[in-house]
Amino acid sequence: ALGPTGDIFMAGFTHGDFPTTPGAAQTVFGGYGDAYVVHLSTGGALLYSTYLGGQSWDGPGGIAVDAQGSAVVAGNTHSIDFPTTVGAYVRACDNCATNYSTDGFVAKISPTGAGLVFSTLLGGAAAPSSEGLNGVALDAQGRVAVVGVSNAADFPTTSNAYRRTASGGYDVVAALLSADGSQLLYGTYLGGAGNDRAMDMVTDPQGRIYVSGYTDSVNFPTTSG
């Protein structure tokens, strides 16, 4: 993702020994595999580099940057100790103690890379389940929109959701979090009787989400025309 001045933000995955910078939010490798977040200048100079993860597997699925230069990373985690912040929407990983179960995460890093502005988990409590976020975007108010995939029967949805119940093996999920990561403004399923996965997204100035992915559901919801 590009920052407000054209500088470069990247998120990726590492098994350790990744170069970090002094004073970064997490300079110590957490465990089996961590996400990392790197900020480069327009000329390619390393401005900050940090790990993001706990004792098990943590992988990023998307990154966005706000107008102040804070990176927002979404992904999935299998770490029971994934770093979260006070006041976040969800702080305990519902499924991370279960083999092959994961939760989604959303974390916002300060412009200097020195700390977490907020970090929250996002997923259902039914186990075993596999959930992760593959796209993230910010609207004009700084609210955080995410899309991903879930096979949990209880991914958090809201009363205004398009669909509140799971419909197949894996469903697309979409959610909107408040700008401080403390509230779920909406959450919905999207899918048919088979497997449906969201791979990427953008938002428009009105806050609408455009999501792309793939499906093997013969009854995936479509519209006339």
Side-chain angles (χ1 to χ4, degrees), residues 56-86:
S56 187
W57 194 96
D58 316 284
I63 186 170
V65 184
D66 71 10
Q68 289 71 47
S70 290
V72 181
V73 182
N76 66 346
T77 179
H78 184 51
S79 295
I80 59 174
D81 59 343
F82 186 86
T84 59
T85 52
V86 175

Side-chain angles (χ1 to χ4, degrees), residues 14-159:
T14 178
H15 281 296
D17 197 31
F18 193 84
T20 61
T21 50
Q26 183 179 336
T27 58
V28 178
F29 180 57
Y32 173 77
D34 280 356
Y36 65 79
V37 184
V38 169
H39 181 194
L40 300 173
S41 72
T42 55
L46 181 61
L47 301 179
Y48 75 71
S49 176
T50 184
Y51 289 111
L52 178 62
Q55 66 183 12
S56 187
W57 194 96
D58 316 284
I63 186 170
V65 184
D66 71 10
Q68 289 71 47
S70 290
V72 181
V73 182
N76 66 346
T77 179
H78 184 51
S79 295
I80 59 174
D81 59 343
F82 186 86
T84 59
T85 52
V86 175
Y89 171 62
V90 175
R91 299 200 65 189
C93 185
D94 299 309
N95 300 313
C96 290
T98 305
N99 288 339
Y100 309 113
S101 291
T102 59
D103 264 1
F105 73 78
V106 184
K108 183 175 184 178
I109 299 170
S110 66
T112 64
L116 294 173
V117 178
F118 74 78
S119 179
T120 184
L121 300 170
L122 181 63
S129 63
S130 180
E131 301 173 284
L133 303 175
N134 296 326
V136 58
L138 307 174
D139 69 10
Q141 290 77 46
R143 299 177 301 182
V144 183
V146 292
V147 296
V149 62
S150 173
N151 69 349
D154 60 348
F155 183 86
T157 61
T158 48
S159 59

